[in-house]
Amino acid sequence: MLHHLVFTVLFLLGLYTVIYKNNLIKMVIGLNIMEIAVFFWVIAVSDTGKSVPIYHLNKFAASFNDPVPQALTLTGIIIGASTTALLLTFIIELNKFADTIDSNKLEGLNE
Amino acid sequence: MKKFLVGLLFIGLAFLLLINFAELPEEKLITFSLSDYYIGFGLEQTGALNLVTAILYDYRGFDSLGESTVIFAAVSGIVLILSRKMLPVSSHGLSFIVKRTLGILTPFIALFSLYVITHGHLTPGGGFQGGVILAAISIIFSIVYGSAFDYKRYSPELKTTFETGGALVFIIIGGLGILFDGFFLDNLDFLTHSPGTLISAGSIPLINIGIGFKVGAGLAIVFYSMIQKTFGEEF
Amino acid sequence: MLPAVTDNNLVQIMIITGILVTLLTIIYAWKKLKKNKIYFVMLTIIYLVSFIIVIGTDKWIVFLGGWEFVTLTTSLMFAWDDWKLVKQYFLIQFAGSSILLYAVLVIINNGYAEVGIINSTFLQNILIVGLATKSALFGFHFWLPAIYANSSGLVNAISSGWVVKLGYIILLKVIIPEQGNALLFYAGILMLIYGGVKALLEVKLKVLMAYSTLSQLGLIAIGIGSGTVYGYYGAVLHIIIHALTKTGFFINLDDIINKSGTQNIYELAARFNYSLFKIITIFGFSFSLSGVVFLAGFNSKYLIKNSLPGPLLLIIFYLGGLLTFLYTLRLLYWLFIFQGKQKAFLLRLNNYKINFSIDLFINIPILLIILLLGNYPDLLNYWLPALDSFSFPLGSGIGETILYLLVAYLILEKLNWVRTKEKEYLEIDVLFNKIEVLLNKIGKASLKFDTEKIVEHYFLRGIYKLSGKTHDFIYRSFSDQLSWIPLFLALLLAWRYLV
Amino acid sequence: MISISILLLIIIPLVVAFLIPLLDLYNKLLRRYLVIIGGVIEISISIYIIISYFSDLKAGKFFLTYYLGGWGPPFGINLVMDSVSLIFSSLISFALFFIIIYSIGFIGHHEGKYYVLFFLILGAMQGAILTGDMFNLYVFIELLTVTSAPLVAFKRNKHATEAAIKYMFYGVIGGLFFFVGVILLYFNIGSLNMAQLAQHFAEIENNMQLTIISIFLIGLLIKIGIFPFHFWLPKAHSACPSSLSALLSGVLLKVYLYIFIRLFWIVIGFEFLLEFNIASFLVYLALVSSLFGHVFALQASDIKRMLAFSSIGHIGMILAVFLLNTETGFYGGLLHIISHLLMKTGLFLSTGYLLQYTKSNHIDDFAGVGHQNKGIFVGFILLTLSMIGMPPFIGFFSKWYIIMAFLKIQHHFGAIVVVLGSLSAVFYYLRFIAKGYEKIKLSASDLKNEIYNRPILSVFYREKLVTTVIYIFVGMIILTGFSFRLFELPLQEGIKELINPQNYINLILGG
């Protein structure tokens, strides 16, 4: 239950930041908070208190946590990093043209 | 008024999300689920101790191909958007002591990254993680020695070659799978030693190496694109 | 019980008439057009093929496709006059097509997979509404005068002569002769009277002809809608005769208008020294239109008259007939007889140049057909087998004609041959102007409507701004746009409590 | 039937994309040959699949699959091609091949990166269509976002960059919701294979099913651009070079539609949408979106923006007609997907060419374009005629079947929206056509201004190539209009699959 709560709070915090902050960089940060909330939640839910899914050389543990969500999260993180990099690039570029990263001052974002 | 409404919306949304997600069942519906299969047969079938790596590069290798393609695409996009050719000479770098220290430290960082890359199938880590460390070398170089130094030493062409080369290695290894075993991205039979040794797990370490260099070069390119300065616009 | 027309026969006779009418127009086009006439002929041939498809097919999709092609080709024909007309005509006709498409699909979904008899008044009415714009049914006729006033007689001949009749031909196939359709019937009566009155008061020659078309279409509608075989046959006959007459009429009038440069019938009054044949031709056409005995128009009108059920309707019908006489006589009077205050002598020196090819290839055949059909209606027996069994009482016909002529003459004399003022705006403009006043917040200046600008103006002022306002209402700031996401998410997550 | 050709559909574009930067280091001119070779290979694989499995298709048992890494369906990733995917996949190969040829004459700068991203999009689209694995689908969706966003910003001005930022924000949020959906499916069922998920979805408890459906809906509606989430679409589709607009508006939206169809008909099963009463709500949402798209298009004074709005209108229409869940609905929807793909791609390509003569995309600058290049403008008019649904173009027939589908279940609102849509389309297209035929007189200084102020992408070389491509699309809409029954076979097979998803499950898991 706790991880659901944390997920909800983080996710909505991120969503709020994306929607109601005017600074584009902060909006990207909000996006990242959302992503991280999801990743955290996936890992937390899949953690059933068992061992890390790696066979040690000598002792073969009896039970592992589910490795699949971890693999999926890894993929998700990398994709998230790529999109963040791309977004930041656009913001750098936009700053060059408009001299601002305030979404309020960028009329073009509204249309 | 608007703030109040927004607050109400978000509190309501939080409540709804919590209710909806709290119903997540503890147990999965399928008795013999994906994870049971991977845990049960993972070591036997792939030879990788690290099950996450086994999933990433063997069972779901195609995902990783897509994933590295995402990085490749992001790098291409960033280069496309920020291609300005001129690099600012940020400074002459930091002081001599820092430079010297880093000079001594660099091989170790590189070694560590190589370790992470090559031991992906044995310990936590792998191509992506090691690649990031590799990229870190390049980034620290530009901070400590000034950006021009690294730029001269490892030209963008070299980085591009590494990046695309890494991606191609992935596909070539996948293609070899067709030749040897009949399926794309099939785990190659050679290089399989007993599980737990460095040379084991078939093609997983090879893919790891390819991806490691690809990610390292890619992130370095991203970094250098972003610190480039504007000198007018050329098309 | 009289034998009904089979579908096959109907299709044949209609296609033959259509081809005949189209050929006549092609001859005129070849004579008249100066540039790109080969394109016009190609367009006409495509039009020909597509209306044959429309009449002949029994698949709804082919029917509709063919009809859209008719629309496209006819609107492109306006390009020889004005591109703006193309736009206007296309817009109106496409709107009509859209309604028709809807109606047809409703009909298909009610189990009538093929073009043929529809045994449900409701579906018939839907089809009639669908066809309304295209066939200029009462209430949807507004485009007819406005478009005709500004286009050349060539396209008018095609449009008035044949295109507006396509809808009625389909209705002939769809409506059961013995049952008829009340909606169509009463719409027809309205059209007959309204068109007649309007034509009587009109000054512009082409607009006059447009309203005359409307009133004649009303006759056809009465025939189809009456629900007797008499009316049905009358409608078939009247479609054929009216097609020929109107085509000839428009071609001749266009020639006159081109030579004089005006459409105003008062200015046209006794402008030329017409040849005798010309006068005979136009008199013939007019009399056929109003149903003088021995001419073909009499037969069809007689049949339609016979189909009427009650005395009240009969009186209305007679009134309609009288109106036809009134406006044709008035037209003839202003064209040929009136000499009044004009400096007639000088003007009459203008000899009307005789256009032999028009007389030879268009007028003579049409006149011949009218005369033949008027005296020997059983010539069409092969297609309309029941014509044999009708008897056309010439005696009462002569009497009626004389009565009509007398009454009409007396009325017109009394009214001083109806001298009305030329209207500044056509009624479509008045209509739009009223809407404009209602929506006066949208438009700032009280712009005068100009027929050429109806569509553009209305589009720009009305729809454009309205949609612009909607756009601005929906498109607010970026954060408001993004706010839809949590709102929608909340809606969906709370769905189980809402539904 | 296991076949490697469907794998090649994905791998070939990726290989081409990876090779281009290497080739650029060596010789930049070779790039174009590589690009054309890549396109030819891609389209020939599609043709090969159609020809060699035509007998299967005829017999109604067309089904290709490929096991990646040799791992069988529930445990590894598998690629699947059935009749629906065949339609989409071959259409994409076809359209993209011609867009590539068009680009060769059109894109002036940064060609290398353009083609890299272009081929990555091609690979990602094929991947998203062919994959049979839920998470793999997510990866490809993200790949689509990441590859298309830089291309949206390709023109590198303020407008384009803003568009890209907006596109990315919506895209990333949509992708994130999709990710959560996939994870929820995994946590509940314990599998990622579409067939297995479909098999077991009914066993999840009711409330959880609704949650999963909601999360997926948000993600996908954002991607498709349905009304409350359409804000990114017109800007993104109008800011990029026209070849890209053609790709995004003409092709990419259909891929997302395909994903929607695959998800809600095969994986989740449409009966659940009906059970929770979401289906009818979605129909109305899509129709309202369609209406809004057409209304917005009426006021757009930027031609590409107008075309993008019209896309919203059409996509909403297609989605609504699919959500009716009837056979006629599927037929009309699939046919309209084909026709809209051909029409919109062609329209954007021809518009892109015509805009070479103007200073901006604004309607005022569009004046007199029709006189500048008569041939292309006639093509443009023919395409718009198809767009508003005139016979004999294919637009008429697809419109016919869509209205038919609505009326068959007495859904009059939908039918009226479609009719109104095509009616308003006449208005907004006529506006531009009339403007294009307007006669303008340029003074000498105007002319000079005109020439020097042309956009950067003004590339007039290879005019014939570009013209040919546009006429191929015009020809296609006429050809398919006369013979739209050609698609009867795959369409009917596809409809069978959508109506009976159990068949798909059996073929993957049982075979």
Side-chain angles (χ1 to χ4, degrees):
Chain A
M1 194 61 197
L2 187 65
H3 41 250
H4 292 312
L5 187 67
V6 173
F7 159 69
T8 308
V9 170
L10 273 180
F11 188 81
L12 291 181
L13 204 68
L15 195 58
Y16 181 85
T17 317
V18 172
I19 297 173
Y20 295 107
K21 288 287 172 190
N22 295 328
N23 191 325
L24 282 174
I25 302 272
K26 281 186 186 172
M27 287 165 77
V28 176
I29 291 171
L31 219 51
N32 272 300
I33 294 174
M34 281 167 80
E35 278 170 1
I36 284 165
V38 173
F39 299 146
F40 156 79
W41 172 73
V42 175
I43 296 297
V45 171
S46 73
D47 181 8
T48 47
K50 293 171 190 164
S51 148
V52 189
I54 295 175
Y55 286 97
H56 296 279
L57 278 175
N58 293 321
K59 46 166 188 172
F60 288 155
S63 58
F64 292 130
N65 279 335
D66 191 348
V68 180
Q70 299 190 13
L72 303 189
T73 312
L74 207 60
T75 311
I77 289 171
I78 287 154
I79 290 170
S82 305
T83 49
T84 308
L86 210 51
L87 257 172
L88 288 174
T89 307
F90 292 143
I91 294 169
I92 293 171
E93 183 81 353
L94 185 61
N95 186 39
K96 195 181 78 190
F97 295 122
D99 240 351
T100 176
I101 52 168
D102 189 339
S103 67
N104 268 351
K105 288 175 189 159
L106 292 162
E107 282 296 312
L109 280 179
N110 299 341
E111 58 181 43
Chain B
M1 187 59 193
K2 194 184 165 189
K3 268 186 183 171
F4 174 72
L5 282 179
V6 167
L8 204 67
L9 174 66
F10 272 81
I11 289 167
L13 195 55
F15 184 66
L16 286 168
L17 267 179
L18 206 57
I19 289 179
N20 277 285
F21 279 64
E23 282 161 358
L24 206 63
E26 296 274 315
E27 290 293 314
K28 297 183 178 77
L29 271 171
I30 301 177
T31 41
F32 188 66
S33 73
L34 212 52
S35 61
D36 295 333
Y37 180 82
Y38 291 158
I39 292 171
F41 301 104
L43 183 63
E44 195 182 311
Q45 287 179 340
T46 66
L49 289 185
N50 187 348
L51 284 178
V52 179
T53 311
I55 292 169
L56 269 179
Y57 297 111
D58 196 342
Y59 290 111
R60 308 184 62 79
F62 203 55
D63 273 355
S64 299
L65 180 60
E67 198 180 337
S68 57
T69 314
V70 169
I71 297 183
F72 179 77
V75 171
S76 304
I78 291 167
V79 172
L80 166 68
I81 300 299
L82 297 174
S83 58
R84 292 196 201 94
K85 290 202 177 129
M86 296 298 271
L87 200 73
V89 184
S90 60
S91 63
H92 298 290
L94 303 176
S95 71
F96 174 74
I97 300 169
V98 185
K99 280 183 184 170
R100 205 58 228 143
T101 319
L102 186 72
I104 296 167
L105 217 55
T106 309
F108 295 103
I109 302 175
L111 191 64
F112 179 59
S113 80
L114 283 177
Y115 169 79
V116 172
I117 290 170
T118 48
H119 285 66
H121 55 296
L122 301 176
T123 57
F128 290 105
Q129 293 86 332
V132 174
I133 303 171
L134 211 57
I137 298 174
S138 182
I139 294 168
I140 299 174
F141 258 45
S142 84
I143 294 169
V144 173
Y145 286 89
S147 48
F149 178 80
D150 187 70
Y151 196 77
K152 266 182 213 153
R153 188 154 288 194
Y154 309 106
S155 67
E157 282 80 14
L158 189 66
K159 285 174 190 147
T160 313
T161 316
F162 264 116
E163 212 217 340
T164 44
L168 279 174
V169 163
F170 202 143
I171 287 195
I172 288 167
I173 290 171
L176 286 179
I178 300 178
L179 283 183
F180 288 105
D181 296 320
F183 280 106
F184 188 71
L185 282 174
D186 208 342
N187 207 338
L188 298 175
D189 276 340
F190 62 98
L191 292 183
T192 42
H193 213 257
S194 60
T197 53
L198 188 60
I199 304 173
S200 65
S203 54
I204 294 178
L206 298 177
I207 296 177
N208 258 335
I209 292 168
I211 286 191
F213 279 99
K214 192 199 121 54
V215 171
L219 290 186
I221 294 175
V222 170
F223 176 75
Y224 276 96
S225 300
M226 283 191 176
I227 62 166
Q228 277 172 359
K229 210 176 165 188
T230 322
F231 284 96
E233 194 53 50
E234 42 74 42
F235 282 101
Chain C
M1 202 69 208
L2 298 161
V5 190
T6 59
D7 259 11
N8 207 5
N9 283 344
L10 181 74
V11 167
Q12 275 180 23
I13 184 73
M14 287 304 165
I15 288 176
I16 289 169
T17 319
I19 292 172
L20 192 61
V21 170
T22 314
L23 283 180
L24 294 177
T25 14
I26 289 180
I27 292 169
Y28 182 57
W30 194 259
K31 196 76 200 158
K32 184 197 172 189
L33 291 179
K34 291 196 176 55
K35 57 177 182 180
N36 295 335
K37 55 176 144 187
I38 192 78
Y39 290 110
F40 192 87
V41 172
M42 275 161 61
L43 211 57
T44 320
I45 288 166
I46 299 173
Y47 151 76
L48 190 88
V49 172
S50 37
F51 84 67
I52 288 174
I53 289 171
V54 169
I55 297 173
T57 185
D58 54 357
K59 289 212 165 48
W60 284 112
I61 189 165
V62 181
F63 158 74
L64 218 86
W67 200 316
E68 300 247 16
F69 236 69
V70 172
T71 304
L72 196 65
T73 42
T74 35
S75 19
L76 279 178
M77 285 175 192
F78 283 102
W80 271 262
D81 302 324
D82 192 356
W83 271 104
K84 275 181 181 162
L85 278 177
V86 178
K87 199 168 144 185
Q88 291 179 15
Y89 183 79
F90 184 73
L91 266 180
I92 293 162
Q93 293 296 317
F94 191 82
S97 303
S98 300
I99 305 170
L100 183 59
L101 176 72
Y102 192 89
V104 164
L105 282 164
V106 169
I107 288 164
I108 292 176
N109 277 307
N110 278 291
Y112 296 93
E114 290 196 335
V115 183
I117 282 174
I118 294 175
N119 203 354
S120 146
T121 318
F122 175 68
L123 291 179
Q124 284 175 4
N125 289 346
I126 286 180
L127 185 64
I128 289 167
V129 172
L131 288 167
T133 315
K134 305 220 141 214
S135 316
L137 211 67
F138 186 77
F140 295 90
H141 64 275
F142 58 89
W143 56 272
L144 203 75
I147 296 283
Y148 280 21
N150 297 303
S151 54
S152 77
L154 188 55
V155 197
N156 296 349
I158 288 177
S159 167
S160 169
W162 199 240
V163 174
V164 286
K165 294 197 181 62
L166 284 178
Y168 295 98
I169 294 169
I170 297 310
L171 287 177
L172 279 175
K173 286 169 102 177
V174 163
I175 291 173
I176 303 166
E178 286 83 16
Q179 285 183 358
N181 184 296
L183 176 70
L184 195 63
F185 184 72
Y186 290 110
I189 286 176
L190 276 175
M191 282 158 78
L192 178 64
I193 303 296
Y194 177 83
V197 172
K198 276 283 185 184
L200 184 60
L201 300 174
E202 194 49 62
V203 178
K204 274 190 173 176
L205 198 50
K206 277 183 184 156
V207 182
L208 195 155
M209 293 314 288
Y211 281 119
S212 146
T213 305
L214 190 65
S215 110
Q216 301 299 321
L217 290 178
L219 266 182
I220 297 170
I222 291 173
I224 302 172
S226 67
T228 60
V229 179
Y230 275 109
Y232 190 80
Y233 270 91
V236 175
L237 211 52
H238 201 69
I239 288 176
I240 298 165
I241 293 158
H242 184 249
L244 287 164
T245 325
K246 256 298 155 35
T247 309
F249 224 141
F250 262 119
I251 288 172
N252 280 298
L253 290 182
D254 189 55
D255 206 32
I256 295 173
I257 291 169
N258 278 347
K259 291 206 165 91
S260 64
T262 176
Q263 275 203 51
N264 190 321
I265 54 170
Y266 308 130
E267 287 171 24
L268 271 172
R271 168 73 60 98
F272 298 110
N273 225 352
Y274 298 98
S275 68
L276 183 65
F277 183 72
K278 197 81 179 178
I279 294 172
I280 289 174
T281 315
I282 291 180
F283 264 79
F285 290 163
S286 316
F287 283 153
S288 171
L289 212 59
S290 38
V292 170
V293 76
F294 297 125
L295 291 174
F298 169 73
N299 295 342
S300 55
K301 285 201 173 180
Y302 172 78
L303 287 176
I304 292 171
K305 189 184 81 184
N306 266 4
S307 72
L308 292 172
L312 181 70
L313 290 171
L314 216 56
I315 292 169
I316 294 175
F317 181 83
Y318 277 120
L319 190 67
L322 186 63
L323 279 170
T324 322
F325 268 93
L326 287 172
Y327 69 72
T328 42
L329 280 183
R330 171 170 170 259
L331 175 67
L332 294 174
Y333 174 80
W334 285 112
L335 267 186
F336 299 119
I337 300 162
F338 179 76
Q339 291 177 15
K341 293 162 195 165
Q342 298 214 27
K343 290 179 181 167
F345 181 69
L346 275 175
L347 285 167
R348 283 185 74 115
L349 285 179
N350 282 331
N351 266 329
Y352 183 78
K353 257 191 197 165
I354 299 165
N355 202 333
F356 281 114
S357 58
I358 290 182
D359 283 343
L360 192 64
F361 294 116
I362 297 172
N363 291 345
I364 292 179
I366 293 178
L367 272 180
L368 268 179
I369 293 172
I370 289 172
L371 274 170
L372 276 175
L373 282 185
N375 294 305
Y376 309 100
D378 38 359
L379 278 176
L380 294 177
N381 262 354
Y382 175 72
W383 296 286
L384 308 173
L387 275 180
D388 243 356
S389 47
F390 298 129
S391 58
F392 298 98
L394 291 181
S396 74
I398 294 167
E400 259 176 37
T401 307
I402 292 171
L403 200 69
Y404 267 135
L405 281 171
L406 254 174
V407 174
Y409 178 76
L410 286 175
I411 293 174
L412 286 172
E413 190 74 274
K414 199 89 176 164
L415 293 175
N416 199 14
W417 298 93
V418 199
R419 220 177 222 285
T420 50
K421 265 187 192 168
E422 187 173 354
K423 279 188 202 130
E424 271 184 76
Y425 313 124
L426 290 166
E427 62 181 316
I428 182 171
D429 314 329
V430 179
L431 185 74
F432 276 127
N433 228 334
K434 276 178 188 161
I435 298 171
E436 179 85 4
V437 171
L438 281 176
L439 298 169
N440 62 349
K441 292 209 169 161
I442 296 167
K444 280 176 199 163
S446 60
L447 267 165
K448 275 189 184 176
F449 268 100
D450 169 357
T451 325
E452 290 182 1
K453 285 193 174 169
I454 293 162
V455 180
E456 289 93 312
H457 175 91
Y458 198 65
F459 172 63
L460 286 176
R461 292 249 152 209
I463 303 175
Y464 180 73
K465 288 210 170 175
L466 210 64
S467 63
K469 273 183 183 169
T470 326
H471 176 271
D472 292 348
F473 180 72
I474 302 280
Y475 271 74
R476 285 155 184 272
S477 69
F478 188 33
S479 66
D480 282 4
Q481 293 170 15
L482 282 169
S483 302
W484 284 98
I485 293 174
L487 202 66
F488 208 77
L489 184 61
L491 176 73
L492 281 179
L493 288 180
W495 191 257
R496 58 171 108 158
Y497 305 109
L498 296 173
V499 178
Chain D
M1 208 176 300
I2 293 172
S3 164
I4 197 167
S5 45
I6 58 173
L7 172 77
L8 291 180
L9 279 177
I10 307 173
I11 295 298
I12 294 290
L14 294 187
V15 170
V16 172
F18 293 150
L19 279 178
I20 289 170
L22 281 183
L23 208 61
D24 268 1
L25 296 177
Y26 174 66
N27 186 343
K28 293 196 183 210
L29 285 176
L30 286 177
R31 183 170 58 208
R32 282 185 185 149
Y33 296 103
L34 180 67
V35 163
I36 291 180
I37 290 168
V40 169
I41 293 175
E42 185 80 2
I43 201 168
S44 45
I45 293 170
S46 284
I47 292 168
Y48 165 77
I49 290 176
I50 293 173
I51 290 174
S52 60
Y53 295 101
F54 190 73
S55 55
D56 281 6
L57 194 64
K58 224 170 183 176
K61 52 178 186 180
F62 177 77
F63 191 81
L64 297 179
T65 181
Y66 190 80
Y67 302 148
L68 283 156
W71 306 111
F75 302 115
I77 296 171
N78 60 325
L79 303 176
V80 181
M81 185 188 253
D82 52 16
S83 308
V84 189
S85 341
L86 177 70
I87 299 169
F88 278 83
S89 165
S90 20
L91 273 176
I92 286 170
S93 304
F94 169 81
L96 262 74
F97 175 69
F98 287 108
I99 299 178
I100 289 165
I101 293 178
Y102 180 88
S103 308
I104 287 172
F106 189 77
I107 293 296
H109 67 98
H110 291 109
E111 243 189 2
K113 294 293 170 207
Y114 173 86
Y115 287 126
V116 169
L117 292 168
F118 197 95
F119 271 88
L120 288 179
I121 290 187
L122 175 53
M125 286 199 290
Q126 298 283 15
I129 280 171
L130 296 177
T131 186
D133 185 277
M134 218 47 208
F135 191 75
N136 202 236
L137 180 57
Y138 163 72
V139 172
F140 279 119
I141 287 179
E142 287 290 346
L143 186 54
L144 282 174
T145 314
V146 171
T147 43
S148 48
L151 288 177
V152 170
F154 188 76
K155 279 190 180 170
R156 294 174 63 184
N157 51 30
K158 183 165 175 277
H159 184 61
T161 317
E162 281 170 349
I165 287 177
K166 209 168 170 180
Y167 180 74
M168 273 303 265
F169 269 115
Y170 272 98
V172 171
I173 291 174
L176 198 60
F177 276 110
F178 197 89
F179 182 78
V180 176
V182 174
I183 293 291
L184 276 175
L185 275 179
Y186 178 75
F187 280 153
N188 276 291
I189 296 174
S191 175
L192 288 168
N193 186 282
M194 284 187 186
Q196 205 167 18
L197 292 176
Q199 206 175 21
H200 292 282
F201 189 79
E203 297 161 24
I204 305 175
E205 59 171 308
N206 265 2
N207 285 334
M208 204 63 221
Q209 285 173 343
L210 188 56
T211 312
I212 292 170
I213 289 173
S214 321
I215 298 286
F216 271 125
L217 268 183
I218 296 261
L220 279 177
L221 290 185
I222 289 177
K223 293 281 185 185
I224 299 175
I226 294 300
F227 158 58
F229 311 124
H230 68 275
F231 298 99
W232 57 270
L233 195 147
K235 200 167 166 63
H237 287 194
S238 62
C240 45
S242 292
S243 52
L244 247 312
S245 308
L247 183 117
L248 293 182
S249 203
V251 188
L252 188 53
L253 284 177
K254 275 78 179 181
V255 175
Y256 287 128
L257 266 177
Y258 171 84
I259 294 166
F260 191 93
I261 293 164
R262 176 111 306 180
L263 193 65
F264 282 103
W265 270 270
I266 290 183
V267 176
I268 287 180
F270 195 75
E271 62 268 23
F272 294 104
L273 288 187
L274 291 174
E275 191 186 319
F276 299 117
N277 285 324
I278 285 189
S280 58
F281 167 70
L282 283 179
V283 171
Y284 279 101
L285 188 75
L287 285 174
V288 167
S289 166
S290 169
L291 202 59
F292 270 126
H294 286 299
V295 168
F296 292 155
L298 280 173
Q299 59 83 46
S301 52
D302 175 333
I303 180 164
K304 285 175 78 177
R305 204 172 154 79
M306 178 267 281
L307 288 174
F309 275 130
S310 133
S311 275
I312 295 176
H314 283 269
I315 294 293
M317 198 162 96
I318 296 171
L319 189 61
V321 88
F322 266 111
L323 285 164
L324 297 179
N325 196 31
T326 60
E327 247 175 84
T328 11
F330 293 139
Y331 189 81
L334 286 173
L335 197 61
H336 200 71
I337 284 177
I338 296 170
S339 74
H340 188 249
L341 187 142
L342 295 173
M343 297 180 304
K344 214 13 115 34
T345 313
L347 260 183
F348 263 120
L349 295 184
S350 56
T351 309
Y353 188 80
L354 290 171
L355 288 176
Q356 309 274 323
Y357 295 100
T358 64
K359 264 183 278 186
S360 71
N361 297 354
H362 198 271
I363 182 166
D364 291 338
D365 291 327
F366 208 65
V369 167
H371 300 290
Q372 304 262 23
N373 192 325
K374 283 190 178 130
I376 300 281
F377 202 66
V378 168
F380 176 81
I381 292 172
L382 291 181
L383 287 160
T384 54
L385 280 180
S386 174
M387 213 66 190
I388 62 176
M390 273 300 224
F393 307 112
I394 186 162
F396 170 73
F397 300 100
S398 52
K399 191 176 83 173
W400 171 278
Y401 282 106
I402 283 181
I403 301 176
M404 179 99 104
F406 277 117
L407 286 177
K408 202 151 207 166
I409 58 160
Q410 304 291 322
H411 197 294
H412 286 274
F413 179 65
I416 288 170
V417 166
V418 177
V419 170
L420 276 184
S422 69
L423 202 55
S424 64
V426 184
F427 275 103
Y428 53 74
Y429 286 127
L430 268 184
R431 218 170 133 230
F432 280 91
I433 292 172
K435 201 76 185 174
Y437 269 127
E438 216 168 68
K439 283 212 168 74
I440 43 161
K441 278 178 189 162
L442 285 177
S443 65
S445 63
D446 277 346
L447 206 62
K448 211 172 176 183
N449 199 20
E450 175 100 326
I451 289 164
Y452 284 106
N453 277 323
R454 283 217 172 109
I456 305 114
L457 286 173
S458 176
V459 188
F460 278 98
Y461 73 107
R462 290 169 203 274
E463 185 176 334
K464 274 182 189 158
L465 200 67
V466 173
T467 317
T468 318
V469 171
I470 291 165
Y471 270 99
I472 283 170
F473 277 97
V474 173
M476 278 304 288
I477 58 161
I478 297 173
L479 203 72
T480 49
F482 276 118
S483 56
F484 69 99
R485 297 276 174 199
L486 274 181
F487 299 112
E488 194 78 8
L489 191 61
L491 286 187
Q492 294 296 355
E493 289 304 313
I495 291 165
K496 270 184 211 157
E497 264 154 39
L498 292 177
I499 286 175
N500 183 16
Q502 194 59 40
N503 191 23
Y504 175 90
I505 300 169
N506 292 344
L507 276 170
I508 289 183
L509 293 180

